[in-house]
Amino acid sequence: MQTISTSDITIHIRDEGPRDGRAVVLANSLGTDLRIWDALLPLLPAGLRIVRFDKRGHGLTDATPAPYSMDQLVADAEAVCDGLSLRDVTFVGLSIGGLIGQGLAARRPDLVRALVLMDTAAQIGTAQLWQDRIDTINRDGIAALAGPILERWFTPAFRDADPEFPLWRNMLTRTTVAGYAGCCAAIAGADLTESTRALTLPVLAMAGDQDGSTPPDLVRATADLCGAEFHVIPDAGHIPCVEQPAATARLLTDFLERTAP
Ligand SMILES: O=C(O)CCC(=O)CC(=O)O
C-alpha cells in the first residue's frame, strides 16, 4: 500500500506507470474512493504515470473531525503532488475533485499544466443544501440519503441492470460520516468563480447527460468561465468514469494528445 503523510493525516494513494511518464492525477467525488477510476485506467494511453488518492475522510485515508475547508483539501492534493515530486501535472477532478483541481490550478500554476473538469462546477449547490445534508447524515447516517444520491450518480439503466451497482452503494454508505460531512462543509464554503475565471491553462470539461448532481448546463457554465471545451457524455449520470469509461477515456486521451509537452 502506498501513502503520503501530511502534518495531520496519512493519505492513501496509488501511483502507477513509469516514474518518468507524463503525470496524471485523478481526484474522486464525494462519497467515493480511488476505485472509481478502475475501469478507465486500462483505456488510457500507455506510458502515463497515473496517481490516484483517497481524499480526507474517504477510502483508506485518515478521517479528521468535520468540518473541512476547500483550502485544506487543496493542500492535501498539493501534498500528494509535491510528496511524489510530480511536475506538469494533468489534474482530473470529478465533482468535489474538480473543485480541488480548480483550487490547485489557481494556487500552483507551476505544478498543474492542464485541467480536466468532470461533472463539476466553480460552485456546487447552496450552503443550505449542504447544511441540510450534514444535519441528516449526522442524525441518521449516510444510508438515509443513499437512495437519492445513487439516483443522481447513475442512470436508471445502470441501477437496474449492472451487477456492480450494489457495490457502489456499499462504497457510499461505508464512507465515514466525518469525511462525508467534512467534505460537504468544504463544498458549501467553496465559490471558486473568480479564481477559475482567471485560469489560463488548457481545460477540458465534460458531464454525463443525466447527471443529477452537477447537470450539463451547470458544468458548461464553468467551462465558459475559463474558456474550456465542453462535452456531454451520453447515457451517464454523475460518475461517467464508472458508467461510460470508454467515452470518458476517448475525451481524456484526445485532450492529453493535444496538450502534450
Ligand atoms: O459528488 C460530489 O463530489 C458532490 C456533488 C454531489 O452532490 C453528489 C451527490 O449528488 O451526492
Side-chain angles (χ1 to χ4, degrees), residues 29-30 95-96 124 130 133 149 152-153 180 187 213 238:
S29 56
L30 182 63
S95 204
I96 186 174
I124 302 176
W130 294 111
R133 219 187 272 201
I149 290 173
R152 294 190 292 267
W153 282 11
Y180 193 96
I187 300 172
S213 306
H238 187 54

Side-chain angles (χ1 to χ4, degrees), residues 30-32 133 136-137 140-154 159 165-175 180 213 238-239:
L30 182 63
T32 66
R133 219 187 272 201
T136 303
I137 69 157
D140 303 324
I142 297 176
L145 289 178
I149 290 173
L150 290 159
E151 284 176 14
R152 294 190 292 267
W153 282 11
F154 299 118
R159 296 198 308 271
F165 175 67
L167 304 185
W168 298 110
R169 183 188 191 92
N170 291 346
M171 181 182 284
L172 169 65
T173 58
R174 291 175 191 179
T175 304
Y180 193 96
S213 306
H238 187 54
I239 312 188

Side-chain angles (χ1 to χ4, degrees), residues 25-33 36-37 53-56 58 70 73-74 77-78 90-105 112 114-122 124 130 183 186-187 190 192 196 214 238:
V25 176
L26 308 173
N28 39 277
S29 56
L30 182 63
T32 66
D33 65 37
I36 62 166
W37 307 105
F53 66 100
D54 289 336
K55 69 185 159 299
R56 191 175 283 259
H58 287 66
M70 193 50 64
L73 298 179
V74 170
E78 191 176 10
T90 298
F91 196 99
V92 181
L94 174 69
S95 204
I96 186 174
L99 282 164
I100 293 168
Q102 291 168 68
L104 186 63
V112 184
L115 184 61
V116 179
L117 301 178
M118 222 176 254
D119 299 77
T120 189
I124 302 176
W130 294 111
C183 286
I187 300 172
L192 304 187
T196 294
T214 49
H238 187 54

Side-chain angles (χ1 to χ4, degrees), residues 14-30:
R14 206 165 287 168
D15 179 8
E16 294 162 297
R19 299 304 80 170
D20 60 352
R22 180 171 175 188
V24 176
V25 176
L26 308 173
N28 39 277
S29 56
L30 182 63

